[in-house]
Amino acid sequence: GTSASCVMVPRSCMFLLCVSLLLCWFSSVSHGARIVQSLDVGWKVNSLTYNTSCTSPSNSTFPVDLTNNQCYGLNQATKANTPEACAQACCDSAGCAIWQWCTPGKACTPASSCWIGLSDECHPVNGWVGRGRPGPPRPSPADCDTPFCMPSYNDNSWAQRNVPHDFVIEGKFGPQNDQSHGYLPHGQAWYRHHFSVSSGLSNQAFSIQFDGVYRDSIVWLNGKLVGQHQSGYTSFDLVVTSLLKFGGADNVLVVFADATHNEGWWYEGGGIYRHVWLVSTSPVHFVPWGVYVPSEVIGPITNTAKGQTATKALVHIYAEIMNEGTDKLNLQLTSSIKTSTGIQVGTVTTNNVITSEGTVKIAQNITLAPTTGSVSLWSAEFPTLYSVTTLLFDAASGTLLDDVTTSIGVRKITVDVNNGLFINDQPVKLKGLCNHQDFAGVGTAVPNTINKFRVQKLLDMGANAWRMSHNPPNPELLDFTDQLGMYVWDENRNFANNTQYLLDMRDMIRRDRNHPSIILWSICNEAGCMENDPNGQFVGQAFKATAYQNDYVSTRPVTAAMNADWGIGLSKVLDIQGVNYNYGEYDTYHASHPLQPMIGSETASCTCARNVYFTNDTACHKDVYSADGCAQGWWSAVQERKFIEGGFAWTGFDYKGEPTPYGWPDVNSNFGILDIAGFPKDTFYYYQSWWRDSSVLHVFPHWNWAGMEGKPIQVWAYTNAAVAELFLNGKSLGVQNVPHLGHVSWNVPYEAGNLTVLAGNSTGHLIAQQTIKTTGVAYAIVLEVESDDSIAANSNDAALIRVSVVDDAGLVVPTSSNLITFEVTGPGILAGLGNGDPACLEPDKGTARSAWGGLVRAVVQSTNVVGTATLKAASPGLKSAQIDVNTYQP
């Protein structure tokens, strides 16, 4: 074997990761042990935009009659108010193959609605009128019969990319494209990757694991079909043992991804947007995601200054093992538990037999009952983790066959119908946010660093829960919620009487079930919950059974995010009733269903834009004041009711697509409490003031209002203090008592200078103060790293750079919009740019970005070279800046 640099992979089931383009293997590692190799680096990509916009929606243009059929997966065209307008909307939309209109008075719903897009699933429903045309061509899921998947194809002219990669984010915004997906063109993409494997590994079993490909992917290796995977959100593992070439021969892995069809109504990106791994094991090995390590608290729980502890806990290990070989083996399974500091606190060994080409399941138990100290429990406040290493041996020879290390947290979940949620016997109110997965500059191909940053920002706000909306997340995101401490609502994407959808639910649970941060399994969301369909109850029973069958020890509660039909249909089988919006119905439902716990699954959609204080509908900018009543309303309803376990606001971060309440040129949502670039809006501090125990004071707006002298400006303060007093240029404008869960405000005639708020407690002692100053003109650019300032040289890790336009005193100029150009030198690349402006049409993958509210976000990503990457930023008339980002050997 060839020496290579390897690191521990921060995942619940993966270990050694060798960071190199070709497969390099440690000679010191037994060929019987598991080796996980990243295949992220060095792909060739060819993306194809599907654009068939037309001038007239005639029957010849749309030859397929879809009368009295409803097609799924389409997007609503809200501005089309007649069948003719609906047909034209499809004709005008690049990538639209189907239009359908619901005739009023018929069985279809909602009446007089238009839906357009692509779909491969249509069912008879009376009242729909519509037509379709063939969608884009795609290869057949068979051994290669097209040039792009042939090993001999010359891909030298294709773009070189690393994965994770979102090819859709590289497109150009256009009003003809799908509004709900951010006005970026849909398309298809081909990916090709070349690698070699040592001949010394020819006796091993191999599989390729994809964390996520959007969507309907087909995979070939060396021209042979490996498999097809429809879901764009679930991870999948494909066996490739018989297809690999060894001894330095070129292996060609080809992936086709078809993003022309939608699974949701938000920006979903496209391509291999999560990690790819080559897994090598002995022919006798653990089934993918087949090691399940649940735990139970069985001793008394004690509260300490460092969290909860228990005198005793029981850890179960269930290991599913498969034999791809022809020999019957005697097996030995040894599992050991260590604390986060490496102290072993328990071990167990079990013997068993596996037949040739068979499977076996081995169960083990370890009782944690320290003779000194106690068992530290996991919670969001104190996220204590243990590691469980499970080793599989050939009992006769002692050869290590496979090994898996699983990160676990021991914790107890209890739900009380009248008093809500308890973690480790302590009451917990979920202060949650729903979130999609994309981010400025990178789309859905989110580096691990950004996922960590997003968790940290929500924790800074005071949140303690994340709803994975509306799909299983990037697996590394769950590692960070475990490590940093955040409760998770994990959500299945598709729900129907469909075998594949049940398998997707199963796959989500098997992959994610060892994460202690997950406390709820969600079956579905809103219309996807078969609302208005009584069969939802029976389909729900099958999905709930899937959850129980795959997470069968101290099973997490099963819920769903429902907009209607509470108490009927699917609602009847839920452990916890999720209520979207409608918080005025909490008391009524609780009174009529006193045995069913409740949660605010999606509580409010508050729209605003960062740094906007006067709504400008032409610019698609909504003022921040309008979001306050919305935020205060839902949180008051949840906080004041013990029987509501908590709530999830829509959303923590802005995302591309769904640009409510606007359309073109607004390409982003406006729901976020932080913008898409991760900069907080003022509402962030409303939540912080009521979700955190520490003193909070935030005053807004900015105080740069030249030309408005003497005109009234609303000045607000978010604070958890008892009283607040406002001063303008040293003159008091009055003291106000802070209402519970509210804010204080003053109308202030504008006068340039200093705006100061002093906040005090109930006895009048000063606890916080803040001054907002009128700034000077834009003078310079300032660069700051908001993530770790050193990143791994693995071609994936990234640094998040905050780019500020400041005056000569170093104050951010909130009205600046300077166009800033960027350059990266050294071992790094400029992975993307953003500024949080929902209507900015500058490309995420460009080299320049206009400041918005004085800020720009730059994402600097590593290469596989150790050194110093330097980001340089310049703009005419401003003092330029540069910042170093060090990269280290992982």
Side-chain angles (χ1 to χ4, degrees):
T2 303
S3 176
S5 175
C6 295
V7 296
M8 293 301 294
V9 179
R11 306 181 64 196
S12 60
C13 60
M14 299 300 175
F15 314 102
L16 293 175
L17 167 61
C18 301
V19 188
S20 61
L21 177 59
L22 299 181
L23 297 188
C24 303
W25 307 89
F26 261 85
S27 57
S28 60
V29 175
S30 165
H31 287 171
R34 171 176 298 241
I35 302 174
V36 179
Q37 167 71 41
S38 170
L39 292 184
D40 285 353
V41 178
W43 290 78
K44 293 296 189 72
V45 182
N46 185 13
S47 57
L48 310 169
T49 299
Y50 176 54
N51 189 336
T52 57
S53 54
C54 50
T55 56
S56 176
S58 63
N59 287 355
S60 60
T61 306
F62 292 86
V64 181
D65 186 0
L66 294 172
T67 301
N68 292 327
N69 280 275
Q70 180 179 10
C71 299
Y72 297 97
L74 305 181
N75 298 293
Q76 188 170 10
T78 56
K79 295 182 179 180
N81 53 15
T82 66
E84 294 76 18
C86 186
Q88 188 62 53
C90 184
C91 203
D92 293 341
S93 175
C96 179
I98 292 173
W99 66 268
Q100 57 181 132
W101 172 265
C102 179
T103 306
K106 301 293 185 177
C108 61
T109 59
S112 300
S113 64
C114 170
W115 300 79
I116 63 174
L118 293 109
S119 175
D120 51 14
E121 185 178 357
C122 302
H123 300 282
V125 177
N126 184 263
W128 289 103
V129 295
R131 301 191 71 85
R133 56 182 171 178
R138 51 179 284 124
S140 59
D143 287 349
C144 182
D145 59 2
T146 188
F148 286 176
C149 57
M150 292 180 178
S152 60
Y153 179 79
N154 187 342
D155 54 25
N156 288 339
S157 64
W158 288 18
Q160 184 161 322
R161 297 286 188 271
N162 298 330
V163 301
H165 173 249
D166 174 4
F167 73 86
V168 175
I169 199 68
E170 298 176 347
K172 184 177 181 180
F173 297 110
Q176 76 279 8
N177 299 317
D178 179 10
Q179 170 182 301
S180 68
H181 285 69
Y183 291 105
L184 285 167
H186 294 239
Q188 301 169 334
W190 288 84
Y191 291 79
R192 292 171 59 89
H193 186 67
H194 298 258
F195 63 93
S196 63
V197 182
S198 166
S199 58
L201 298 171
S202 59
N203 63 339
Q204 296 294 90
F206 285 86
S207 67
I208 297 177
Q209 189 173 107
F210 294 88
D211 285 349
V213 181
Y214 194 86
R215 64 173 296 277
D216 205 0
S217 56
I218 306 174
V219 181
W220 297 267
L221 180 62
N222 297 326
K224 298 296 183 180
L225 177 69
V226 181
Q228 181 177 9
H229 190 78
Q230 185 178 70
S231 171
Y233 294 107
T234 54
S235 301
F236 58 102
D237 185 273
L238 301 173
V239 175
V240 296
T241 306
S242 64
L243 302 178
L244 276 174
K245 299 176 182 178
F246 297 91
D250 185 34
N251 289 281
V252 183
L253 175 65
V254 180
V255 179
F256 170 79
D258 188 350
T260 54
H261 288 61
N262 303 327
E263 291 193 41
W265 51 91
W266 57 89
Y267 179 79
E268 299 179 280
I272 307 177
Y273 71 102
R274 294 178 181 168
H275 296 297
V276 183
W277 313 90
L278 181 68
V279 182
S280 168
T281 66
S282 161
V284 179
H285 57 86
F286 297 116
V287 172
W289 302 291
V291 178
Y292 173 43
V293 191
S295 60
E296 298 177 87
V297 177
I298 55 177
I301 294 176
T302 302
N303 293 314
T304 73
K306 296 182 179 181
Q308 291 86 41
T309 63
T311 57
K312 186 182 295 186
L314 183 63
V315 177
H316 307 272
I317 300 98
Y318 299 98
E320 297 175 56
I321 302 161
M322 66 185 301
N323 186 356
E324 293 186 43
T326 58
D327 297 329
K328 178 180 177 180
L329 290 180
N330 293 317
L331 301 178
Q332 183 182 85
L333 189 74
T334 298
S335 295
S336 59
I337 303 179
K338 292 183 178 180
T339 67
S340 59
T341 58
I343 300 173
Q344 183 167 300
V345 290
T347 187
V348 63
T349 296
T350 306
N351 294 311
N352 211 314
V353 176
I354 191 167
T355 60
S356 62
E357 299 180 347
T359 60
V360 66
K361 186 173 183 178
I362 300 177
Q364 297 180 319
N365 295 307
I366 298 177
T367 299
L368 294 182
T371 54
T372 60
S374 53
V375 180
S376 297
L377 303 184
W378 187 97
S379 66
E381 295 75 18
F382 299 95
T384 301
L385 295 172
Y386 292 85
S387 63
V388 179
T389 298
T390 305
L391 305 175
L392 181 65
F393 295 95
D394 179 337
S397 67
T399 301
L400 178 64
L401 302 175
D402 202 356
D403 58 318
V404 168
T405 295
T406 306
S407 178
I408 69 165
V410 180
R411 50 103 178 95
K412 177 182 178 183
I413 302 172
T414 309
V415 177
D416 185 283
V417 71
N418 292 314
N419 295 298
L421 175 67
F422 292 78
I423 302 294
N424 303 329
D425 293 342
Q426 295 298 301
V428 171
K429 185 73 75 171
L430 296 179
K431 298 172 285 191
L433 290 311
C434 306
N435 289 291
H436 286 313
Q437 58 184 355
D438 62 305
F439 192 82
V442 297
T444 57
V446 181
N448 298 348
T449 308
I450 293 180
N451 276 322
K452 180 180 180 181
F453 169 83
R454 282 162 40 105
V455 174
Q456 288 173 324
K457 293 302 287 187
L458 296 186
L459 289 172
D460 289 345
M461 187 173 70
N464 65 3
W466 183 313
R467 178 177 164 217
M468 302 296 173
S469 305
H470 302 291
N471 49 264
N474 183 313
E476 284 75 23
L477 177 55
L478 294 174
D479 290 332
F480 294 127
T481 57
D482 288 347
Q483 295 162 12
L484 300 176
M486 178 166 280
Y487 300 114
V488 170
W489 165 306
D490 204 4
E491 189 155 283
N492 173 59
R493 174 70 211 111
N494 293 303
F495 176 77
N497 187 13
N498 181 300
T499 301
Q500 183 57 56
Y501 293 171
L502 267 175
L503 292 175
D504 290 344
M505 176 82 174
R506 177 205 66 184
D507 291 347
M508 175 188 79
I509 292 172
R510 285 176 60 86
R511 190 198 71 172
D512 296 350
R513 59 191 174 179
N514 289 323
H515 289 279
S517 55
I518 298 174
I519 60 171
L520 293 164
W521 298 123
S522 175
I523 290 175
C524 55
N525 173 70
E526 291 184 346
C529 291
M530 297 177 67
E531 292 175 354
N532 301 312
D533 187 339
N535 290 321
Q537 175 180 354
F538 307 108
V539 177
Q541 288 171 342
F543 276 74
K544 181 177 178 179
T546 297
Y548 279 31
Q549 290 161 6
N550 290 280
D551 182 26
Y552 42 85
V553 176
S554 300
T555 304
R556 298 163 173 92
V558 173
T559 186
M562 297 180 66
N563 233 352
D565 286 1
W566 312 299
I568 61 176
L570 170 63
S571 176
K572 292 183 177 181
V573 305
L574 299 178
D575 296 323
I576 300 172
Q577 177 63 66
V579 177
N580 279 14
Y581 307 97
N582 297 286
Y583 46 78
E585 301 295 321
Y586 288 167
D587 293 336
T588 301
Y589 189 83
H590 181 57
S592 61
H593 296 78
L595 299 181
Q596 188 175 37
M598 296 176 65
I599 190 170
S601 44
E602 190 172 315
T603 54
S605 297
C606 312
T607 56
C608 69
R610 178 178 59 81
N611 201 56
V612 172
Y613 302 101
F614 294 91
T615 292
N616 184 337
D617 291 332
T618 302
C620 302
H621 292 158
K622 186 88 169 171
D623 73 84
V624 300
Y625 302 111
S626 60
D628 177 77
C630 170
Q632 182 176 336
W634 85 261
W635 178 241
S636 297
V638 168
Q639 194 270 344
E640 293 167 357
R641 289 165 172 80
K642 283 187 175 182
F643 65 86
I644 297 293
E645 295 180 28
F648 296 83
W650 188 266
T651 52
F653 295 84
D654 282 341
Y655 53 93
K656 277 188 167 54
E658 220 177 355
T660 305
Y662 301 113
W664 178 263
D666 187 352
V667 298
N668 283 5
S669 78
N670 296 275
F671 301 116
I673 298 166
L674 298 96
D675 67 28
I676 196 171
F679 298 124
K681 303 178 186 180
D682 294 292
T683 315
F684 177 98
Y685 301 96
Y686 168 79
Y687 290 103
Q688 191 180 69
S689 64
W690 299 113
W691 283 2
R692 294 188 61 167
D693 294 330
S694 57
S695 297
V696 175
L697 173 62
H698 175 72
V699 182
F700 62 97
H702 62 73
W703 209 235
N704 280 33
W705 299 103
M708 294 189 65
E709 286 77 9
K711 295 181 180 179
I713 303 290
Q714 291 186 68
V715 176
W716 287 22
Y718 288 137
T719 180
N720 49 13
V723 296
E725 183 174 7
L726 175 67
F727 296 83
L728 176 59
N729 294 326
K731 180 182 178 180
S732 176
L733 299 183
V735 177
Q736 294 200 37
N737 294 319
V738 179
H740 181 59
L741 303 182
H743 70 275
V744 292
S745 64
W746 300 261
N747 276 323
V748 181
Y750 178 65
E751 173 187 315
N754 296 338
L755 196 68
T756 300
V757 172
L758 304 181
N761 60 22
S762 58
T763 62
H765 287 87
L766 180 69
I767 62 171
Q769 69 180 66
Q770 183 182 4
T771 297
I772 307 295
K773 296 182 178 182
T774 304
T775 73
V777 298
Y779 169 76
I781 300 169
V782 172
L783 304 178
E784 305 167 79
V785 179
E786 282 200 298
S787 56
D788 297 335
D789 55 6
S790 294
I791 59 177
N794 59 8
S795 300
N796 177 261
D797 206 0
L800 288 171
I801 312 299
R802 174 189 171 100
V803 184
S804 305
V805 178
V806 302
D807 67 6
D808 59 2
L811 299 175
V812 174
V813 181
T815 55
S816 61
S817 57
N818 306 67
L819 181 65
I820 303 174
T821 57
F822 297 89
E823 178 188 7
V824 175
T825 59
I829 63 169
L830 183 63
L833 297 167
N835 61 13
D837 181 356
C840 182
L841 301 179
E842 296 166 359
D844 285 58
K845 294 297 184 180
T847 57
R849 192 75 168 195
S850 298
W852 194 61
L855 301 176
V856 172
R857 172 73 68 201
V859 181
V860 176
Q861 198 162 27
S862 67
T863 65
N864 59 358
V865 177
V866 173
T868 299
T870 301
L871 174 68
K872 300 177 181 179
S875 181
L878 299 182
K879 184 179 179 180
S880 60
Q882 67 180 50
I883 194 169
D884 291 339
V885 177
N886 295 318
T887 67
Y888 61 86
Q889 187 67 49

